[in-house]
Each structure stands twice: as structure tokens, then as C-alpha cells.
Amino acid sequence: MASARYTELGEFLRSRRARVRPADVGLPTGPRRRVPGLRREEVAQLAGASVDYYNELERGAGSQPSEQMIAALARALRLTADERDHLYHLADRPVPPQGGAASHVHPGLLDLLGRLTSTPAQVITDLHVTLVQNPLAVALLGDHSGFHGARASFVHRWFTEPGTRRLYPEADHEAQARSFVADLRAAAARRDAKDAEAAALIGGLLRTSPEFAALWAEHDVAVRRKDRKRIVHPALGLIEVNCLNLFSEDGRQRLLWFTPATGTESAGLLDLLTVIGTQEFAGPAR
């Protein structure tokens, strides 16, 4: 990357950091704050980067940030879509298409996610690509940040990677599969008929999963607006939750949050997630 552009990237990060108030991202203001916006270590924490690495970026030095790191920084700094694209240009990275794992998270959904500190919550796309999770969602469902390409879609993993299903009781697998396919058909219909991302996901599943192909041929359509799920956590056992959805205006993104199912012991189990964290988690699910 040209040094001048890298220097501009550092300056841009500093300027955006200075305008974000701690309260905007769910951080305490504190009595001894000497900067108008976020501290460098706070941005690093929010983006999942080391403090040293982020310091290097602001100084205009260090290695070229990955597309995933740029997306994480854009979310941490609450960048607009135009600012996010500018950050990709400064880093000499191609702007990713909307809908993938590096998609720009809807600002309203991201703001609400930051305020949901006592319940598992995450933002996903209409093709079930996880964009961002809060710590309790990671503790309950696993860290989804490491999936890329076709595997970024949970629906793809559900039908192609049997291990994905292990945190759900086997008796629930058929109903979950039907629900995923019906929701995916609704999402594909809302998109443009020439949408490459949806076509690639559906085409790949039709070629590789006889189960998906059979369910797709039934033409069921139903958007997942709410659901009751049973999750088998490796440390806490069976947790029954209500999964609720809040959609963006265009329906391309949704905020999911999980509440304990009435009449179960799940409230206490969800409280224990704050203690257990991700230490006992064996694998991803949603």
C-alpha cells in the first residue's frame, strides 16, 4: 500500500474515533477521560484487535488490514456506509458486496445490539450470514466470525456440515431444516431475480444437499419472525429460548435476540452464560 494512502488511513481512523462518544458504543464515560471520543484501546477492544496493532494503523504503519478487520473497525467506529467504503479504499481493499460476512451493519440494529447487554443477541443477513454478535451470543451459540465464503451462511453449514446440528436435539432437526428453507425462499424472492449471492447459495445447496433439494422442491415460504428453540449447551445442558427478530427496512438484515422460554429453568441458565463465557463452548450453532 502506498505510504501516503496508509497515512491518510491512520488520519481517517483518528478523526472517526474522536467523534464517537463512549455512550454510543455502550462504554462508561468515566471521570478521567481526556479525549473527546474513544481511546485507542477501546477501539481495539470493540474491533477485536490488539492495542499495538491498532496503534500501528493510526500511525500509518504496520501491515495492510484484512477485509474482516476493516469491517470490524467500521462497526466499532459506527461508520456510515460511505465512510465504510472509503475505509476500504484507503486500505487498498475491494469494497465487499452487500450481504456477505463483511456487510455494513444497519446502524439502528447495531445501536440496539450495543444496548442488549444482558441477553444473547446478534445481527444476521436475510441469507443467515452472521455479521456481529454480542458476548452472550458467542457464549450461547459460538463464535461465527471465522466463517467466510459460502460457509458464512448458517443455512449452508446446516445442510453441508453435520457437526453444525449437534447443539440442537436431533428431534428438532427436521423442523429447523424446513424453517430455514422456507425463510431462504422468502429472502430470495424479495431480492432481485439476478441476485448473484442468493443464486450462488441456493445453487450450491441444490447441487450438494439432497435434503435441501427435496425441501426446496416443496416451495414452502415463511419468514422466520419468531421461534422457540432448544439448544444443547455443552456445559449447561438443554436451554429453551424464544428467538425474536427485528428487521431492517429493506429486510436484508435482522437483529436476533434470545429470551428464556416461559415455564422453564432457562432464565437461570442464561444468567450462567455471563460466568461461563466461551470457555466451555465446543462449536458454533444458531
Side-chain angles (χ1 to χ4, degrees), residues 3-284:
S3 58
R5 175 166 289 190
Y6 214 6
T7 298
E8 186 178 353
L9 183 146
E11 293 173 350
F12 182 67
L13 289 174
R14 286 195 298 275
S15 71
R16 301 304 90 179
R17 174 169 62 84
R19 71 173 189 173
V20 181
R21 299 172 300 175
D24 294 336
V25 292
L27 295 174
T29 301
R32 298 182 179 179
R33 185 170 292 272
R34 288 180 281 181
V35 294
L38 297 179
R39 301 185 179 101
R40 291 185 181 89
E41 57 267 27
E42 291 171 335
V43 176
Q45 177 186 355
L46 290 169
S50 71
V51 177
D52 288 342
Y53 178 77
Y54 182 74
N55 285 340
E56 288 291 303
L57 287 179
E58 281 207 1
R59 286 200 295 265
S63 60
Q64 182 186 31
S66 67
E67 294 180 20
Q68 291 74 30
M69 178 53 61
I70 298 170
L73 289 170
R75 293 164 189 165
L77 294 170
R78 297 301 193 266
L79 301 187
T80 67
D82 290 338
E83 290 170 335
R84 190 283 306 253
D85 292 353
H86 182 61
L87 188 61
Y88 273 93
H89 291 312
L90 292 177
D92 200 25
R93 295 286 191 184
V95 176
Q98 186 64 18
S103 292
H104 189 63
V105 181
H106 186 285
L109 299 185
L110 189 60
D111 180 61
L112 285 173
L113 178 69
R115 298 173 187 276
L116 293 173
T117 58
S118 60
T119 189
Q122 59 189 23
V123 178
I124 69 170
T125 72
D126 57 343
L127 301 185
H128 295 264
V129 174
T130 302
L131 301 179
V132 61
Q133 299 173 282
N134 70 6
L136 286 178
V138 174
L140 177 65
L141 308 169
D143 185 355
H144 294 180
S145 63
F147 297 110
H148 308 293
R151 298 186 68 236
S153 169
F154 186 83
V155 175
H156 175 88
R157 300 198 304 276
W158 178 266
F159 287 102
T160 61
E161 301 177 22
T164 300
R165 304 187 181 196
R166 67 180 177 270
L167 292 185
Y168 294 89
E170 187 174 353
D172 298 349
H173 289 180
E174 181 180 354
Q176 291 286 351
R178 288 184 174 278
S179 182
F180 280 128
V181 173
D183 186 79
L184 179 59
R185 184 176 283 280
R190 288 194 305 269
R191 292 186 173 217
D192 186 279
K194 298 180 180 178
D195 185 271
E197 184 188 14
L201 174 61
I202 295 167
L205 287 172
L206 288 173
R207 290 190 299 272
T208 59
S209 172
E211 180 190 13
F212 176 86
L215 292 174
W216 189 257
E218 295 182 10
H219 291 271
D220 290 339
V221 182
V223 177
R224 295 187 83 162
R225 294 183 173 87
K226 60 181 179 179
D227 202 358
R228 181 158 173 164
K229 297 185 177 185
R230 299 191 300 166
I231 297 173
V232 182
H233 191 278
L236 301 177
L238 187 68
I239 305 176
E240 294 189 55
V241 296
N242 297 313
C243 179
L244 306 172
N245 295 257
L246 178 65
F247 293 81
S248 60
E249 293 90 341
D250 61 2
R252 290 289 188 100
Q253 295 184 14
R254 62 185 75 169
L255 172 66
L256 308 181
W257 71 99
F258 301 84
T259 61
T262 304
T264 71
E265 299 178 353
S266 296
L269 295 175
L270 289 179
D271 288 341
L272 286 175
L273 285 176
T274 61
V275 179
I276 293 177
T278 60
Q279 297 179 20
E280 300 292 335
F281 201 88

